[in-house]
Amino acid sequence: MNTTTKQQTTPSDMVALEQNMKIEAAGLNKILADEFVLHAMLLQYHWNVTGINFIELHRFYAEQYQQVERMMKSLAERVRALGHLAEGRLSECLKHTHLNEEAFPVQHLQQLNNLIKSHETVIQHLQRMKRSLDRTYRMYGTGDFLEDLVAEHESMILLIRCYL
């Protein structure tokens, strides 16, 4: 005989779930803001690269900004799946980003070091959000998603370090 009982979802459970999803979506939108700023940085470097390594760095920056674009799309889709709007306005992104928009460095080494610093900042905030979601809200699906983003940023850093 099956003694398993089926739990019913109460209205207060639904309110708590909606509140958790709102907090989760807000955090994801902050990460999306970081990705927007990183994407803009990569585009600027791609468009303005010069020098003896022009072709190589031009292609490298293109690969990097395309990878960031894919992450942005995934983030936006995750926010929408939670029933909230994905933030795409630049003014809002600049308010919520953890990254600093710095003066354009002409030297390739400074560009590459800026990219490493930016990726590391994004990773720190991804990890902080994951810990918070896991501990406070038990939102493990998004935690796994954030881990995947961390791994992508880490692989991007590894490629950048090959140029240093």
Side-chain angles (χ1 to χ4, degrees), residues 92-144:
E92 289 301 308
C93 289
L94 290 174
K95 281 185 204 173
H96 297 292
T97 187
H98 302 100
L99 302 180
N100 294 321
E101 192 174 40
E102 299 179 14
F104 176 73
V106 177
Q107 298 298 320
H108 303 137
L109 291 178
Q110 185 59 50
Q111 292 172 358
L112 296 167
N113 281 313
N114 286 354
L115 289 172
I116 289 172
K117 182 177 144 187
S118 295
H119 281 290
E120 288 173 342
T121 299
V122 173
I123 288 169
Q124 289 171 355
H125 291 281
L126 286 164
Q127 290 172 331
R128 185 175 298 133
M129 183 178 172
K130 182 192 179 315
R131 283 191 305 272
S132 176
L133 290 174
D134 286 353
R135 183 178 53 252
T136 309
Y137 302 106
R138 309 277 193 252
M139 303 295 254
Y140 299 112
T142 296
D144 293 342

Side-chain angles (χ1 to χ4, degrees), residues 12-105:
S12 63
D13 291 338
M14 293 302 293
V15 169
L17 179 61
E18 178 55 39
Q19 183 61 27
N20 289 352
M21 291 186 338
K22 182 178 181 180
I23 291 167
E24 187 177 344
L28 290 172
N29 269 322
K30 287 181 182 179
I31 301 299
L32 183 57
D34 290 340
E35 301 293 1
F36 256 94
V37 172
L38 180 58
H39 183 261
M41 182 186 304
L42 284 159
L43 280 175
Q44 183 180 31
Y45 294 171
H46 171 76
W47 291 336
N48 296 299
V49 68
T50 60
I52 194 163
N53 295 332
F54 169 80
I55 293 294
E56 185 177 353
L57 284 171
H58 189 72
R59 288 179 181 151
F60 177 71
Y61 290 148
E63 290 168 6
Q64 291 254 320
Y65 77 68
Q66 289 165 359
Q67 188 170 355
V68 171
E69 280 177 9
R70 289 188 294 275
M71 288 189 278
M72 290 167 56
K73 182 179 178 194
S74 295
L75 278 159
E77 289 171 351
R78 181 72 184 168
V79 171
R80 294 298 295 144
L82 294 169
H84 295 273
L85 296 177
E87 187 57 68
R89 295 174 296 165
L90 295 178
S91 61
E92 289 301 308
C93 289
L94 290 174
K95 281 185 204 173
H96 297 292
T97 187
H98 302 100
L99 302 180
N100 294 321
E101 192 174 40
E102 299 179 14
F104 176 73

